[in-house]
Amino acid sequence: NAGVTQTPKFQVLKTGQSMTLQCAQDMNHEYMSWYRQDPGMGLRLIHYSVGAGITDQGEVPNGYNVSRSTTEDFPLRLLSAAPSQTSVYFCASSYPEAGGKQETQYFGPGTRLLVL
Amino acid sequence: DAKTTQPTSMDCAEGRAANLPCNHSTISGNEYVYWYRQIHSQGPQYIIHGLKNNETNEMASLIITEDRKSSTLILPHATLRDTAVYYCIVRELNSGGSNYKLTFGKGTLLTVNP
């Protein structure tokens, strides 16, 4: 298994440009999520999905859209990039918890985004 | 989810045990204690979790106090590759939706010195 993969690894955008950060997992996990991490900060949840066709907002959803058309993929779209969106973006996935078993989350390697 | 308090940084000598404390005095009965770590420039990595009892796996041990208000992550023989930020997270038992999310604080930067 490749686990959780993210593309691109690095991206530079100009203010106002749009782009999509890709996230894919091959573990058949139902739950997927996007976090952003700013320097010296912990991770903050942007959006998450508990299954194909179902998405919801996290702590910092403004300026981002997501969709979940398949179990494997969970792309994050920046509609009109702003310098405040300069960050490292991590995608994560896990099985849903069942029978009281707490499933762990697996994180991708991250996408480093710079918005000028 | 309950809030956690961790020291900002700690040092440890290579080969020695690293003991990382975490306070979670407002933890509720349904909340598990999770530990993740993040090596520089990488995504977070799961280490261990527990509810009441002490837990051990191939990476670490987790000691939870009887009142569950604090815990300690133990790396028995720290190596240079264990230098990372360690996050202690408390999280409710499965209830779906946004409870899948992990709330990361600033964690503890553990530096393992040669």
Side-chain angles (χ1 to χ4, degrees):
Chain A
N1 287 349
V4 180
T5 57
Q6 292 184 239
T7 56
K9 286 187 170 58
F10 303 96
Q11 184 70 49
V12 179
L13 290 178
K14 294 181 180 178
T15 296
Q17 286 185 314
S18 63
M19 78 159 295
T20 299
L21 280 63
Q22 302 291 345
C23 175
Q25 51 90 10
D26 60 358
M27 297 174 282
N28 203 31
H29 286 167
E30 291 190 22
Y31 175 73
M32 295 185 75
S33 58
W34 278 101
Y35 293 85
R36 62 177 285 175
Q37 185 172 34
D38 300 312
M41 306 269 298
L43 281 75
R44 293 184 292 170
L45 182 68
I46 304 172
H47 285 285
Y48 66 94
S49 168
V50 298
I54 306 169
T55 63
D56 207 343
Q57 296 181 350
E59 302 171 64
V60 288
N62 292 341
Y64 307 95
N65 272 0
V66 292
S67 59
R68 184 93 180 271
S69 56
T70 67
T71 299
E72 294 78 20
D73 300 299
F74 190 44
L76 178 73
R77 295 185 192 84
L78 279 68
L79 308 172
S80 177
S84 61
Q85 293 179 304
T86 293
S87 191
V88 181
Y89 291 84
F90 291 101
C91 179
S93 74
S94 72
Y95 287 111
E97 296 137 3
K101 183 182 178 187
Q102 295 276 309
E103 293 288 352
T104 66
Q105 291 195 23
Y106 297 84
F107 285 81
T111 293
R112 283 146 186 80
L113 177 67
L114 173 62
V115 182
L116 300 175
Chain B
D1 293 339
K3 183 179 176 181
T4 61
T5 304
Q6 298 177 253
T8 303
S9 63
M10 294 182 65
D11 285 338
C12 177
E14 188 177 18
R16 295 294 186 104
N19 297 284
L20 291 90
C22 180
N23 286 324
H24 31 80
S25 58
T26 60
I27 193 170
S28 68
N30 283 344
E31 288 179 315
Y32 282 69
V33 180
Y34 279 77
W35 284 83
Y36 280 74
R37 74 179 181 183
Q38 187 174 23
I39 296 169
H40 182 61
S41 297
Q42 298 182 21
Q45 176 191 24
Y46 165 81
I47 302 173
I48 199 167
H49 72 277
L51 181 63
K52 296 180 184 177
N53 301 320
N54 299 337
E55 302 287 344
T56 296
N57 64 20
E58 64 279 2
M59 288 183 70
S61 295
L62 175 60
I63 308 297
I64 302 174
T65 58
E66 193 169 341
D67 63 7
R68 303 209 322 123
K69 293 185 177 182
S70 65
S71 61
T72 301
L73 177 74
I74 301 172
L75 307 178
H77 305 287
T79 70
L80 299 179
R81 287 177 294 180
D82 291 322
T83 293
V85 177
Y86 287 77
Y87 296 99
C88 170
I89 299 165
V90 293
R91 182 164 160 259
E92 210 171 293
L93 188 62
N94 57 328
S95 56
S98 63
N99 285 313
Y100 289 116
K101 73 181 178 71
L102 297 172
T103 301
F104 288 83
K106 295 187 178 180
T108 297
L109 173 60
L110 174 69
T111 303
V112 181
N113 300 305

